[in-house]
Amino acid sequence: MDHVPSVILGLCSYTHDSAAALLVDGDLVGFVEEERLSEDKHTKAYPRHAVAWLLKEAGITVGDVDAIAYNFQPSRYLVESPAALRLALSETTRERALPRAHGFAKVALRTQHRVRTLGRLFPSARVTPVLHHRAHQMAAFAASGWAESAVLVVDSLGERQTTTIGHGHEALRPRTRIVEELHDPASLGYVYGAVTEHLGWRRGDEEGTVMALAALGDPKRFRHLFARAVRTTSAGFFIDPAYFPPRTLSSGYPRTSRRFITETCPARHPDEPLADVHQDLAAALQERTEKVMVHLARRARMITGSRRLCVGGGVATNCVSIGRIIEADIFDEVFVPPAPGDAGTALGAAVALHMDGGNRRPVSGIARACYLGPSFHDLTLDLTPWPGLQQKMLGIETAEFLADQLAHGMIVGLFQGRVEAGPRALGNRSILASPLEPGVVERLNATVKYREAFRPFAPMVLAERAQEFFTLGQEAPYMSMASGVTDTARERVPAIIHANGTSRLQTVTTTQNPFMHAVLTAFARRTGVPVLINTSLNVKGKPICGTPAMALDCLSGSGLDALLLEDRWITK
């Protein structure tokens, strides 16, 4: 690269979970998912709101951007097109051979068109496509702040790759090298999405619902089926096309086979009541996913020799699987970045291009950072569009006031500071409640979140007291790991324990989030328990609230008792 880029815009766009990140000489200006500003959950649109905010935050214009890092490489799709013809050699996959070859070629051309479109939007910039899994790896490793680690990425599909094991080095100038890789159709994310869809939920959105449902089922019923359908190998795993036919990247081709349906159950309609068979199917899927993820982690340990592991990709959001890897004691420590899914590849692609472009400045502002989006400190609030709401200004004891309201049973939305990165609310765009309040889980699901009654709620806990309630044995700052619980937790806060005996916890330090640490400390002083229920500030089907207007809509349209918006206490 002749020109050394200094202003790099990383983009995830046109697929799902659009997002943008901006690096200026290696310093991270910010990162935000487009849905937090556009109100369109999992949007695939060009992230114009996110880009506009980043440019404004940096005080620059479109013409100042000299490099675009895009999170897919179109040429890599083309390699799979002729390779897909090998499917014609098997009677099981023969009918998928030509549609798959055509689908990958079509996506290659479509991705190339997207690259050219970005070039027209940024005429002063060179657009560089970045290998999707490399973007995932860089996002995970750079966020860890470690000098060295193994990096495991597991998702549905990135060009041809579905699973990669890499090795990361250097904290200030992060670089990763792919050591081993699996190609589609060996895709754990594809299988989980296929079964999610079969069970009546939206693929690419509601896999977490299936993970929650799994705790209610018995995996024994379909254990042998999944052991045949997803078989581990010495170097990874293999998907049996007799159960999950190879993807075609075209609509109209089912992801589950007739044999799968015959041996399990018919596809469930979203309005159909849940039966034992649905719970058991979810349980067997989840159990197999956990076993394969632990198997891959052991493989990563063996071929890299590292004592630390970073995990990225969509399957990294399966917090129970991450918990199983930690329990297996394969590594000294496991890290999942705040945005392990595709949105985070906007940041990873920008870091990759910074490293490849010859800029000698180290990267900064990424390691152990999660509050990376817009803030609204100087807001002038007009409640006219919400006539039923009232506000009052709070003084300097805001944390004490909030803790007191929570201790008295209120369910409160919290909107403060910068928007979190990733799918979890981490105390800046959260709904908080006391785990000691009788019936709080039922009330949250039925009147606040409007979601399935079996869905659990995650706890946040003071990091210094986490071991009193949880057995994880390491920090979990981004609510990405399921932990076992202690007898103290079972006795004092059973509301935060799921049916499988785990909790997806967030540990909070005073460095990470001083305000939430103060709230938890004040709540513990009143109740003796340094634990709060923390769920995202949204209702089912809507993105986490990234703007004050979104938060006020959430308050007025749900069973929330109040909203703390910066230093304003807003009630109905």
Side-chain angles (χ1 to χ4, degrees):
M1 185 176 289
D2 297 330
H3 171 66
V4 178
S6 61
V7 181
I8 300 174
L9 181 65
L11 293 176
C12 171
S13 183
Y14 308 123
T15 52
H16 58 87
D17 296 309
S18 290
L22 183 65
L23 290 178
V24 177
D25 280 329
D27 296 330
L28 181 65
V29 173
F31 162 86
V32 67
E33 288 117 307
E34 179 70 4
E35 66 169 27
R36 308 293 159 84
L37 305 176
S38 71
E39 304 187 43
D40 182 8
K41 191 173 184 181
H42 297 306
T43 181
K44 64 180 182 179
Y46 168 74
R48 62 184 184 88
H49 296 89
V51 171
W53 170 72
L54 287 167
L55 297 181
K56 182 179 179 181
E57 190 77 0
I60 62 176
T61 67
V62 166
D64 295 316
V65 177
D66 55 8
I68 302 293
Y70 186 55
N71 65 333
F72 287 100
Q73 284 187 343
S75 60
R76 297 295 182 114
Y77 287 101
L78 280 176
V79 179
E80 184 58 34
S81 195
L85 298 178
R86 71 188 183 279
L87 299 179
L89 300 176
S90 169
E91 185 177 349
T92 305
T93 59
R94 186 168 298 150
E95 66 176 18
R96 294 287 176 111
L98 286 176
R100 180 177 170 91
H102 178 262
F104 273 81
K106 185 177 179 179
V107 170
L109 294 174
R110 185 186 303 156
T111 306
Q112 184 59 50
H113 173 73
R114 290 164 178 169
V115 170
R116 288 195 296 266
T117 298
L118 293 174
R120 289 192 293 270
L121 291 173
F122 295 88
S124 302
R126 174 182 293 180
V127 182
T128 301
V130 175
L131 185 68
H132 189 70
H133 268 235
R134 184 171 180 230
H136 270 306
Q137 289 190 346
M138 292 296 271
F141 181 67
S144 74
W146 289 337
E148 178 272 336
S149 82
V151 187
L152 172 65
V153 174
V154 187
D155 66 0
S156 180
L157 180 68
E159 296 99 7
R160 302 178 70 213
Q161 296 168 326
T162 65
T163 306
T164 54
I165 295 172
H167 205 176
H169 295 277
E170 297 187 41
L172 297 180
R173 294 186 53 78
R175 52 189 175 88
T176 61
R177 178 176 61 89
I178 293 177
V179 180
E180 198 165 80
E181 61 188 280
L182 295 180
H183 291 164
D184 195 67
S187 171
L188 202 55
Y190 180 81
V191 169
Y192 212 104
V195 179
T196 295
E197 195 169 60
H198 188 77
L199 288 171
W201 283 288
R202 292 186 301 275
R203 173 172 48 86
D205 181 25
E206 296 184 292
E207 281 83 353
T209 302
V210 174
M211 182 175 65
L213 179 67
L216 307 182
D218 184 350
K220 287 187 294 185
R221 184 172 184 174
F222 299 114
R223 178 175 289 150
H224 294 301
L225 182 152
F226 277 100
R228 292 192 301 271
V230 187
R231 300 198 292 271
T232 55
T233 67
S234 60
F237 61 93
F238 168 81
I239 305 300
D240 189 338
Y243 291 98
F244 299 98
R247 84 176 84 214
T248 64
L249 296 181
S250 305
S251 59
Y253 290 86
R255 293 180 173 228
T256 53
S257 69
R258 294 187 187 93
R259 179 176 176 179
F260 178 86
I261 296 169
T262 299
E263 296 184 18
T264 59
C265 63
R268 171 182 168 267
H269 188 274
D271 296 328
E272 181 184 339
L274 284 168
D276 288 346
V277 68
H278 303 130
Q279 297 176 173
D280 294 345
L281 186 59
L285 168 70
Q286 178 62 32
E287 179 186 74
R288 193 61 186 165
T289 300
E290 294 164 21
K291 288 183 181 298
V292 174
M293 287 293 283
V294 171
H295 174 68
L296 292 170
R298 292 190 189 282
R299 180 71 180 168
R301 172 77 178 93
M302 184 180 75
I303 64 177
T304 66
S306 179
R307 294 298 305 170
R308 286 173 163 171
L309 175 69
C310 295
V311 190
V315 183
T317 60
N318 191 296
C319 62
V320 182
S321 292
I322 301 300
R324 295 285 183 245
I325 292 173
I326 294 170
E327 287 176 359
D329 201 28
I330 305 166
F331 295 90
D332 294 339
E333 191 172 359
V334 176
F335 176 83
V336 179
D342 273 15
T345 61
L347 178 55
V351 174
L353 188 53
H354 175 81
M355 296 304 303
D356 294 345
N359 194 315
R360 302 188 64 81
R361 295 284 297 273
V363 297
S364 64
I366 300 172
R368 303 290 168 156
C370 64
Y371 307 108
L372 301 174
S375 64
F376 299 84
H377 289 297
D378 301 324
L379 177 69
T380 300
L381 194 60
D382 178 10
L383 293 180
T384 302
W386 302 272
L389 303 184
Q390 304 172 20
Q391 66 171 313
K392 69 174 181 178
M393 300 297 294
L394 298 180
I396 59 173
E397 298 296 329
T398 306
E400 293 286 342
F401 176 84
L402 177 56
D404 193 61
Q405 301 306 307
L406 294 168
H408 282 87
M410 293 192 77
I411 296 177
V412 181
L414 177 61
F415 186 107
Q416 59 132 3
R418 298 183 71 164
V419 177
E420 296 97 332
R424 317 294 188 203
L426 302 173
N428 279 18
R429 302 292 186 273
S430 292
I431 292 174
L432 305 176
S434 168
L436 308 174
E437 191 69 15
V440 65
V441 171
E442 293 76 13
R443 184 183 165 199
L444 278 165
N445 272 326
T447 70
V448 178
K449 300 287 284 188
Y450 305 121
R451 66 185 200 180
E452 296 84 0
F454 60 82
R455 297 276 295 274
F457 286 96
M460 61 194 325
V461 60
L462 289 173
E464 61 267 29
R465 295 188 59 184
Q467 63 183 4
E468 297 176 34
F469 298 84
F470 305 102
T471 62
L472 190 66
Q474 67 164 71
E475 288 192 353
Y478 308 131
M479 201 179 280
S480 52
M481 304 161 178
S483 171
V485 298
T486 66
D487 289 340
T488 300
R490 294 187 189 95
E491 293 167 7
R492 306 201 66 181
V493 285
I496 55 88
I497 305 173
H498 193 32
N500 62 4
T502 70
S503 293
R504 188 188 70 204
L505 78 156
Q506 177 195 359
T507 55
V508 181
T509 66
T510 186
T511 302
Q512 176 193 351
N513 194 322
F515 179 76
M516 276 315 311
H517 191 274
V519 173
L520 285 162
T521 300
F523 184 80
R525 195 183 311 117
R526 288 164 171 78
T527 65
V529 174
V531 179
L532 284 168
I533 288 175
N534 172 27
T535 187
S536 54
L537 184 59
N538 68 330
V539 297
K540 185 181 179 181
K542 297 286 188 180
I544 294 175
C545 298
T547 67
M550 292 169 70
L552 292 166
D553 284 341
C554 186
L555 172 62
S556 63
S558 74
L560 280 176
D561 294 319
L563 171 69
L564 178 58
L565 200 163
E566 298 298 348
D567 53 357
R568 297 168 174 84
W569 183 249
I570 304 172
T571 55
K572 299 176 182 178

